[in-house]
Amino acid sequence: MRTLPILRPSEPSLVTSSPSEIDVAEFSGEPRGEGRRIVVVASRFNEGITVPLAEGAVSALVEHGVRFEDIDVCWVPGAWELPVAVRRALSTERYDAAVAVGAIVRGDTPHFDVVVNESSRGLMEASRDFDVPVTMGVLTTDTMAQAEERAGGVHGNKGADAALAALEVLDLFDRAFADGFGEDEDEA
């Protein structure tokens, strides 16, 4: 637990004249993969982008302690199909988290907006409904060059970033919301 400066209204006027310090429980996670089972659901559409995203996700998971045998990669035709595949995978209760990767590149029609909005909504709904982290390594770019830059190029690998986010949220859940709420491992 850290002490953070928090503005506390004075009584009774609720006017704050200066910050005071109070104890606030503060939690964060680290990308710890030991003992985790993760599904990576990847879109085949724009395969030249999505294969490096999926590879980045798997590599990041292994580098942070997830056993290779505890990672499943499921391929779907496109980003539109990501949410239903994530939902089906999570319904098995085999996975601690899901990492979705894909690449949606803007074209000349409103199709881009529909796919971006509904696939992202579906992934968030899966996370909410199953109470499991579902992270989004789905690129939404204006050009193929922008996608390449984010699939291992100058802007890194967003598949790897999504995988690390999943592990970090899982660790946060363990630290903040498990039995012994708020206890540091050293204090337990």
Side-chain angles (χ1 to χ4, degrees):
M1 185 166 337
R2 289 191 343 200
T3 301
L4 300 174
I6 303 293
L7 297 178
R8 185 185 344 214
S10 62
E11 295 182 19
S13 67
L14 297 178
V15 174
T16 303
S17 58
S18 65
S20 61
E21 293 190 0
I22 60 173
D23 288 334
V24 175
E26 179 181 352
F27 303 95
S28 62
E30 295 179 15
R32 296 181 184 174
E34 295 80 10
R36 305 290 189 193
R37 185 160 175 86
I38 309 293
V39 62
V40 176
V41 182
S43 164
R44 282 193 316 266
F45 196 77
N46 291 321
E47 197 170 65
I49 303 299
T50 61
V51 168
L53 290 173
E55 290 171 344
V58 171
S59 293
L61 291 169
V62 170
E63 288 170 15
H64 286 83
V66 180
R67 293 179 341 133
F68 186 75
E69 301 79 24
D70 290 334
I71 302 167
D72 292 334
V73 178
C74 301
W75 290 93
V76 298
W80 186 261
E81 293 79 25
L82 289 170
V84 70
V86 165
R87 291 183 73 82
R88 181 57 62 101
L90 294 180
S91 74
T92 69
E93 298 183 359
R94 286 195 305 246
Y95 302 105
D96 298 304
V99 178
V101 297
I104 309 168
V105 180
R106 187 180 300 278
D108 295 330
T109 69
H111 183 256
F112 171 88
D113 297 313
V114 172
V115 175
V116 167
N117 292 335
E118 295 309 315
S119 63
S120 61
R121 181 189 332 269
L123 294 171
M124 180 51 68
E125 288 176 354
S127 184
R128 182 196 62 217
D129 293 349
F130 287 92
D131 203 26
V132 170
V134 176
T135 57
M136 184 153 161
V138 179
L139 304 179
T140 57
T141 62
D142 290 321
T143 67
M144 190 60 77
Q146 290 173 335
E148 290 167 353
E149 292 170 351
R150 291 157 177 78
V154 297
H155 291 292
N157 186 305
K158 300 308 177 186
D161 292 349
L164 295 178
L167 295 179
E168 187 174 327
V169 172
L170 287 169
D171 190 52
L172 170 69
F173 286 1
D174 288 347
R175 292 170 184 243
F177 308 118
D179 292 335
F181 176 83
E183 290 182 8
D184 287 337
E185 292 173 12
D186 296 337
E187 295 174 8

